[in-house]
Amino acid sequence: MIKFKVKVMLAINEMTQKELAEKTGIRPPTVSAICTGAVKHLPVEALNKICAVLNCQPADLMEYIPDEK
C-alpha cells in the first residue's frame, strides 16, 4: 500500500490544501484526495508540480507499506 504524506509536507511548509491547489493548478478535490489517500492514480506531472511547490522529493510525499498477510 502506498501512504501519502502530503499533509505532513503541507504542515512543514505552513501551507493549506487550497494554497497548494492554487500554486500547482491541481483541482482542490484532487489535492484533497491526495491528502486523504483516496486518490486512485497520480500523474507524474502532478507529482512534479507538488514537489516543485513544496521543494521536496517524491519520496517525501509517499511511502510504501507492505500489506500484512
Side-chain angles (χ1 to χ4, degrees):
M1 171 173 84
I2 300 294
K3 178 181 176 188
F4 288 95
K5 303 184 291 185
V6 178
K7 279 186 181 180
V8 173
M9 293 304 295
L10 286 173
I12 290 170
N13 286 277
E14 298 179 350
M15 187 180 297
T16 65
Q17 290 181 28
K18 181 180 177 184
E19 289 171 321
L20 181 63
E22 290 170 354
K23 291 181 180 188
T24 60
I26 299 169
R27 294 177 49 244
T30 303
V31 170
S32 178
I34 294 167
C35 288
T36 62
V39 70
K40 298 296 180 199
H41 61 85
L42 183 59
V44 173
E45 185 57 33
L47 186 59
N48 187 55
K49 289 177 182 180
I50 294 169
C51 286
V53 169
L54 296 178
N55 191 29
C56 66
Q57 295 295 315
D60 298 326
L61 300 175
M62 61 184 93
E63 70 178 312
Y64 172 71
I65 300 172
D67 292 331
E68 293 182 18
K69 292 186 178 189

